[in-house]
Amino acid sequence: MTEFMGNIAGIYDAKEHGFEPGQGSLHSCMSGHGPESEVYKKAIQANLEPVRYPNGSMQFMFETCYMLKLAPWAVSPEG
């Protein structure tokens, strides 16, 4: 799946470092992606119980089976 993700506020649990509020990321269906290795290790060792995310944390994800790409004007210096 191709994913476009954005961080509106707070910390995104699958990427605890380097994904600040206001940032987005585009992951192509042809590239590997997923949680950071340290986040994965922490998750598989955690007790299976309900978890409440902190107030003030909000992220979104759009997922599609199609390949997405940036429009030419979005990557041109004249933008």
Side-chain angles (χ1 to χ4, degrees):
M1 288 287 187
T2 297
E3 300 173 351
F4 176 72
M5 300 188 60
N7 187 5
I8 297 170
I11 297 173
Y12 176 55
D13 62 340
K15 189 164 180 65
E16 294 179 342
H17 306 289
F19 196 49
E20 300 295 324
Q23 292 182 331
S25 65
L26 178 62
H27 299 275
S28 172
C29 63
M30 301 300 285
S31 66
H33 56 278
E36 298 172 332
S37 62
E38 291 303 316
V39 173
Y40 172 76
K41 289 175 190 171
K42 187 169 77 174
I44 63 171
Q45 295 172 356
N47 292 331
L48 295 179
E49 57 187 26
V51 176
R52 174 154 170 56
Y53 285 93
N55 291 335
S57 183
M58 183 178 290
Q59 294 79 33
F60 66 88
M61 177 190 300
F62 298 112
E63 208 171 49
T64 180
C65 60
Y66 299 106
M67 293 186 74
L68 301 177
K69 66 178 187 174
L70 296 172
W73 60 267
V75 293
S76 74
E78 294 81 34

